Amino acid sequence: MALVKRRLKIKVGAVFFSLLVLCALASADAASDSSPDFKAMVQQDVDAFRTYFKVRFSKVAFAEYKNGVYAIDSASREQWLEMEDFPPYEFAVDEGEELFEMPFANGKTYADCFANGGEGIRQNYPYFDSQQGEVITLELAINKCREANGEKPLAYKKGPLAAISAYMASTSEGNKFAVEVPDEAAYQAYVEGKKFFYSKRGQLNFSCADCHLRVAGQKLRADITSPALGQPTGFPVYRAKWEELGTLHRRYAGCNKNIRAKPLPAQGRAYRNLEYFQSVMSQGLEINGPSSRK
Amino acid sequence: MNKVKWLLYIVLSMTLISSGRLYADIVVKPILEEARATLSKATARDFEWTTTRKLIKEAEAALASGDEDKSLKLAKAALNEAEKSLVQANYAEAHWQDDIPR
Amino acid sequence: MLVGDDMNLSEKNMKIDRRGFLSNLLKGAACIVTVASLPRLALAAWNEKAFKAETLEGAMSSKYPGLEFVDSSAIKLKAPAIAENGAVVPVGVKTDLPDVKTISLFVEKNPSPLAATFHLTPINVADVSIRIRMGETSNLIAVVESGGKLHRVQQEVKVTIGGCGG
Amino acid sequence: MKIKAKVKKDITKVKMLIKHDMETGRRKDQDGNIIPGLYITEVSASHNDQPVFYAEVGQAVSKDPYMAFSFKGGASGDKISITWKDSSGATETGEAAIK
């Protein structure tokens, strides 16, 4: 409702005025939170985010958002189902399993680094490490595990690391995203990610939200954009465009390039915070990675 | 007499300026320098565009090959982009909350 | 150290050299021998001329010389109207026509239009599928050889380039 | 290679996924050199050592080729064997039991 009102105002031409009002509203929001309850603030965001999509796509069930654009586009969904029937990423999952089980030089394995031997835990990533003061994604944790055991880190966008991540996701299929924002430091990281999501970037001046929230489901150039809700659930993905498996941060870099913004480093702080925000927004949705995308 | 002297000065300095090197030093290089400095500010804020660095490189190449006019054009374009990306960063800082569903 | 090993692993999976071929032969000796001794297979070797033809007409006439085409509604060609990505286009061909000997798929505008030929025997159900590449928007043509005739159906598949991938 | 075979109402459906780059001979590497063509040309399958499928394919088949076919008969536990050959003459055979 507020959105519609705002649009009207812009149409009328009172851009400046409406922005002023919004700024005032935003700062009023911030000022009124003298004793912040982070969990409640995050929950409010989550609810508003979900409601937005519920209104936009009233026929799409919440659980469906784990399927990306295929949740809202029936024509491409059919092709996607054909791919998922015998998906090319099955090779990568096997490879990932082999790598996962292969002991390091010191005799230990990945299983020693993770809770529950690394099985069925994808939904708990990323999490905020209060001691380190940073967001830990699954891919970062895999490399931290390697380094703790005297091995070289793997490249973050594709290849062996993507395969291991795919295998770990495959053992977690159906588990629901359970990423939380426990304290103030975590909330800072979450807000950084949120800020990235809503900030316009690149020569084309688009934010993540422009394509995947405001015009989600509409044709942008040749493609229908996927809804932001549930975006991280299916990663890593095998993209037809890549003809191989790639991680979420590889996709972020591709998105940024599309809007002519210089991509930021995979697993750098900015993308990790973005993944954190997106995963929090997707809480309650099932893990179904790896999956195939166009 | 005085007028003639001034005219001579002007003609002389114009020839000097338009004679490649000096023109590059006085006009093109400062703009390029400013473009670089502005871009690095945008980069530091994670708002660099994929197109700007290319423009700077092209301007440098044109300068090296002695095409000052082309270089000036590219340097100006680069500076323009770098400034816009910085404006974008500032805009985002002030307005990123505008599109949040509430 | 492990990085290197990872590479080897995938290479190992990928590389099937002559030696690998030999050991595979030994493993699957029985089946390969029977396959090779089948008259049908002895007849149908890879049709290089048809696969290397650069025009639709050239590919069709090399594949099915001297036979006439009849447009047929008895063939079900399942392909997307708009391909998600030209690199992977899922295609299925089904028919109730009797005595199907071969099913071929042609992509008119591909550099080499013939994509595949499936050879069927009476034991088969005429229902095949495959994922193919399409370089650009093009007609996709399915040909079913049945009862000494060639039945044909075609459909346009749009391939979009330059999208941001959703 | 991965094979999935399932029998339903006396009809066995066999699906396969083959790990192969299917280089068309038209792609270029990072230095702009053409990557030589190397693609699967033939695929054959047998059921309990009896041939049930044969396909000739070309460069137009996607990377990591997927194909499926069906035949009458076949019972749970029967052996399906699939062999492919590529343009360099390399081959691979894979086996699976019908489910």
Side-chain angles (χ1 to χ4, degrees):
Chain A
M1 196 46 205
L3 260 174
V4 176
K5 251 189 212 161
R6 201 188 314 160
R7 290 250 170 79
L8 274 174
K9 276 182 185 168
I10 287 170
K11 269 184 189 159
V12 173
V15 182
F16 194 60
F17 177 71
S18 72
L19 288 178
L20 266 182
V21 169
L22 274 165
C23 283
L25 279 174
S27 46
D29 272 359
S32 66
D33 290 317
S34 48
S35 59
D37 177 350
F38 300 110
K39 280 185 185 170
M41 280 154 74
V42 169
Q43 193 53 49
Q44 211 172 359
D45 282 0
V46 170
D47 292 343
F49 204 79
R50 268 193 215 179
T51 307
Y52 179 87
F53 285 101
K54 202 173 169 182
V55 172
R56 274 290 297 280
F57 306 102
S58 56
K59 284 178 193 150
V60 177
F62 171 66
E64 267 297 309
Y65 283 96
K66 68 177 178 181
N67 296 326
V69 74
Y70 310 110
I72 56 169
D73 180 28
S74 58
S76 60
R77 185 187 178 99
E78 211 172 304
Q79 287 176 68
W80 173 69
L81 288 173
E82 301 251 5
M83 291 296 292
E84 289 287 323
D85 183 48
F86 206 152
Y89 57 71
E90 287 197 8
F91 289 121
V93 173
D94 288 356
E95 198 190 312
E97 183 173 7
E98 245 175 272
L99 291 169
F100 185 85
E101 278 160 11
M102 196 186 288
F104 301 127
N106 66 6
K108 291 196 172 181
T109 64
Y110 289 106
D112 298 323
C113 296
F114 292 97
N116 198 34
E119 275 185 39
I121 57 164
R122 173 68 187 89
Q123 68 282 358
N124 301 326
Y125 287 83
Y127 70 91
F128 189 81
D129 181 334
S130 297
Q131 278 173 351
Q132 299 293 321
E134 63 175 344
V135 170
I136 308 291
T137 62
L138 182 60
E139 283 84 7
L140 192 73
I142 290 169
N143 263 351
K144 277 184 184 273
C145 173
R146 293 180 61 86
E147 286 172 308
N149 286 288
E151 303 286 340
K152 279 187 197 155
L154 298 168
Y156 278 121
K157 287 184 175 174
K158 56 184 176 183
L161 185 102
I164 295 166
S165 170
Y167 166 68
M168 292 179 78
S170 75
T171 67
S172 316
E173 195 182 340
N175 295 353
K176 288 177 177 168
F177 247 121
V179 175
E180 285 177 356
V181 182
D183 54 33
E184 182 167 8
Y187 186 73
Q188 293 295 330
Y190 162 87
V191 169
E192 279 303 308
K194 183 176 168 186
K195 191 170 164 186
F196 190 100
F197 184 85
Y198 289 105
S199 293
K200 289 176 190 294
R201 292 192 134 67
Q203 198 193 41
L204 300 188
N205 200 32
F206 280 144
S207 66
C208 306
D210 280 334
C211 297
H212 299 288
L213 189 115
R214 286 179 45 206
V215 303
Q218 287 172 39
K219 267 228 157 113
L220 213 70
R221 288 161 80 182
D223 295 312
I224 288 173
T225 53
S226 57
L229 183 57
Q231 268 173 342
T233 55
F235 279 82
V237 300
Y238 184 103
R239 280 189 80 193
K241 185 183 168 179
W242 296 335
E243 292 196 314
E244 62 179 2
L245 203 67
T247 57
L248 180 59
H249 290 206
R250 181 181 181 185
R251 190 68 181 93
Y252 282 163
C255 263
N256 275 168
K257 270 188 221 160
N258 284 335
I259 57 163
R260 297 184 199 148
K262 190 186 169 201
L264 300 173
Q267 298 301 329
R269 205 166 265 266
Y271 281 176
R272 271 186 286 139
N273 288 343
L274 176 61
E275 179 177 346
Y276 189 41
F277 167 72
Q278 284 216 283
S279 304
V280 171
M281 288 300 111
S282 304
Q283 62 175 259
L285 285 169
E286 287 179 3
I287 298 291
N288 71 340
S291 54
S292 63
R293 291 288 184 272
K294 72 175 88 169
Chain B
M1 189 58 205
N2 223 358
K3 269 185 190 166
V4 175
K5 213 166 117 189
W6 271 113
L7 211 71
L8 252 171
Y9 277 143
I10 290 171
V11 170
L12 199 75
S13 51
M14 277 180 78
T15 355
L16 268 173
I17 287 175
S18 56
S19 73
R21 260 279 92 81
L22 204 61
Y23 179 75
D25 282 344
I26 294 177
V27 183
V28 186
K29 280 187 182 166
I31 295 179
L32 249 176
E33 202 38 60
E34 203 186 338
R36 278 193 212 103
T38 314
L39 178 62
S40 66
K41 277 185 208 157
T43 309
R45 296 177 63 179
D46 290 347
F47 276 81
E48 180 178 337
W49 297 357
T50 50
T51 41
T52 319
R53 205 166 286 273
K54 271 183 215 154
L55 285 171
I56 291 177
K57 276 198 182 134
E58 282 168 25
E60 284 166 347
L63 198 62
S65 72
D67 191 344
E68 283 86 9
D69 288 341
K70 190 180 170 192
S71 180
L72 178 66
K73 228 170 140 182
L74 289 163
K76 276 183 178 168
L79 176 59
N80 181 31
E81 279 209 353
E83 279 169 348
K84 276 188 181 158
S85 53
L86 208 51
V87 167
Q88 188 179 50
N90 291 334
Y91 182 88
E93 194 61 44
H95 293 281
W96 69 273
Q97 303 196 56
D98 292 1
D99 287 328
I100 301 175
R102 281 165 217 275
Chain C
M1 173 50 192
L2 247 173
V3 185
D5 282 348
D6 302 345
M7 297 290 287
N8 286 339
L9 187 89
S10 59
E11 255 171 45
K12 229 185 291 164
N13 285 345
M14 295 280 307
K15 203 166 77 183
I16 297 101
D17 53 16
R18 303 272 164 178
R19 250 185 330 175
F21 171 41
L22 268 179
S23 70
N24 277 329
L25 246 185
L26 289 173
K27 269 188 260 162
C31 101
I32 289 184
V33 170
T34 30
V35 167
S37 65
L38 230 206
R40 150 141 248 118
L41 288 188
L43 280 174
W46 193 62
N47 188 333
E48 184 170 351
K49 203 179 158 202
F51 277 104
K52 296 218 161 145
E54 289 171 359
T55 63
L56 180 63
E57 291 71 27
M60 282 183 153
S61 61
S62 304
K63 182 72 233 175
Y64 298 111
L67 286 176
E68 263 184 48
F69 291 93
V70 194
D71 285 327
S72 172
S73 56
I75 308 168
K76 261 196 192 155
L77 172 59
K78 194 181 171 202
I82 302 170
E84 278 230 273
N85 187 301
V88 194
V89 183
V91 177
V93 184
K94 245 189 214 182
T95 182
D96 291 329
L97 287 166
D99 183 28
V100 175
K101 281 177 85 174
T102 64
I103 297 175
S104 290
L105 275 171
F106 298 88
V107 181
E108 189 177 354
K109 291 194 179 159
N110 267 7
S112 310
L114 178 56
T117 300
F118 302 94
H119 298 258
L120 306 186
T121 61
I123 195 180
N124 286 112
V125 179
D127 178 1
V128 293
S129 41
I130 188 166
R131 294 172 189 156
I132 60 167
R133 290 176 172 136
M134 292 183 65
E136 57 182 302
T137 297
S138 166
N139 277 324
L140 174 70
I141 298 133
V143 172
V144 174
E145 184 186 3
S146 147
K149 269 191 194 160
L150 294 178
H151 304 263
R152 172 173 66 176
V153 67
Q154 79 172 39
Q155 183 197 321
E156 190 190 55
V157 176
K158 283 205 167 73
V159 176
T160 51
I161 296 163
C164 41
Chain D
M1 184 185 335
K2 283 177 166 276
I3 304 166
K4 290 177 186 171
K6 243 186 195 167
V7 62
K8 209 172 150 188
K9 289 182 188 165
D10 200 38
I11 289 175
T12 303
K13 182 157 192 174
V14 182
K15 300 171 184 174
M16 68 191 88
L17 194 67
I18 300 167
K19 197 163 174 61
H20 199 289
D21 278 350
M22 297 298 286
E23 283 297 347
T24 58
R26 291 191 185 83
R27 242 160 45 96
K28 285 180 184 167
D29 65 14
Q30 284 167 337
D31 303 325
N33 305 313
I34 290 210
I35 303 170
L38 178 60
Y39 49 91
I40 290 175
T41 52
E42 290 167 86
V43 181
S44 58
S46 64
H47 161 233
N48 288 345
D49 299 338
Q50 289 299 308
V52 284
F53 178 74
Y54 173 70
E56 300 167 65
V57 295
Q59 302 106 298
V61 175
S62 306
K63 181 186 175 184
D64 295 339
Y66 164 88
M67 265 172 258
F69 65 93
S70 298
F71 66 94
K72 286 168 239 165
S76 183
D78 287 0
K79 189 178 82 179
I80 296 289
S81 169
I82 294 177
T83 301
W84 58 257
K85 184 180 156 199
D86 72 16
S87 51
S88 75
T91 93
E92 184 196 14
T93 297
E95 281 180 7
I98 298 175
K99 272 186 187 168

